[in-house]
Amino acid sequence: MQMSGNAPNIITETQRLVIRQLSLDDLDSLYSIYDSWGPVQGVEPLSPNRDEEREKLESYIHFMYGFYGLGLWAVVDKESGRMIGRCGAWPSQVGDDWLPELGYVIQKDFCRQGLALEAMEAIVAYIRKETEFTCAAARIHKENKVSLRLAQKLGMKPDARFSPDEDGMCVYRLDLS
């Protein structure tokens, strides 16, 4: 599905959300989303230098989407049209395997509405339909109870081959077959 003009491509839609490619116009929204949480264990922060972050975003959009067909995408609330998060999957080495690694962040004032689960269920469905991957993974900090519950709701299981690393990150896997 694609939007007209120069608008970013739509990846998928749910009842309440549009998940689309990021654009450079999303930079302020990204800062607002990440700032709503402050530092979060396991989530790479944005650069304090906006020009540097803009360059990283431009490169990400150009190379990640074009080369892999996966990536982190914008989560847009249909009702307000506001970007409220970032979610998706990116190729990542997990042990000896290359898998789509799932991840998300939803602006704090939009949490506790089931939006992260709705977005990630749509991402998993997209990966199943559009790729040949048979498994996906997520790295979740052992203290991040919200993400651990979301992973369980998605059907993810702890990967017994990986105990929490020195940073407290655990690996969860999801069978996509």
Side-chain angles (χ1 to χ4, degrees):
M1 195 181 308
Q2 187 170 1
M3 294 174 73
S4 61
N6 292 330
N9 288 347
I10 293 176
I11 302 304
T12 189
E13 291 188 47
T14 69
Q15 182 179 352
R16 300 180 289 172
L17 304 171
V18 172
I19 299 170
R20 63 162 173 78
Q21 290 180 346
L22 290 162
S23 75
L24 292 177
D25 293 337
D26 294 324
L27 194 61
D28 288 339
S29 294
L30 285 170
Y31 275 97
S32 177
I33 291 162
Y34 280 69
D35 289 348
S36 75
W37 286 102
V40 175
Q41 197 83 17
V43 176
E44 184 178 339
L46 300 177
S47 171
N49 180 322
R50 283 183 183 251
D51 290 335
E52 180 180 298
E53 192 64 39
R54 176 177 288 284
E55 287 177 23
K56 285 173 38 182
L57 180 59
E58 185 173 31
S59 178
Y60 186 89
I61 290 166
H62 180 75
F63 292 106
M64 183 63 80
Y65 297 158
F67 190 72
Y68 292 107
L70 292 173
L72 285 170
W73 298 303
V75 178
V76 178
D77 176 62
K78 281 184 175 179
E79 186 176 312
S80 68
R82 179 176 164 195
M83 182 178 161
I84 61 164
R86 187 182 205 186
C87 74
W90 58 94
S92 183
Q93 188 166 7
V94 181
D96 294 333
D97 302 320
W98 278 94
L99 304 171
E101 184 174 340
L102 305 174
Y104 73 95
V105 62
I106 300 291
Q107 188 153 341
K108 198 170 190 175
D109 58 340
F110 280 84
C111 288
R112 297 187 167 272
Q113 299 176 37
L115 296 168
L117 179 61
E118 187 174 323
M120 293 312 296
E121 285 175 336
I123 295 302
V124 168
Y126 176 85
I127 294 168
R128 280 188 171 118
K129 181 180 176 192
E130 300 294 334
T131 75
E132 296 180 14
F133 288 107
T134 59
C135 187
R139 288 183 175 91
I140 305 170
H141 192 273
K142 65 183 180 179
E143 301 297 325
N144 187 338
K145 304 298 185 210
V146 172
S147 289
L148 291 171
R149 277 193 305 277
L150 186 138
Q152 290 172 338
K153 288 178 181 177
L154 288 174
M156 301 188 90
K157 307 278 187 234
D159 190 322
R161 298 175 301 163
F162 303 98
S163 57
D165 65 16
E166 62 275 357
D167 293 329
M169 300 301 284
C170 303
V171 175
Y172 283 74
R173 290 174 85 94
L174 176 65
D175 180 15
L176 296 171
S177 54

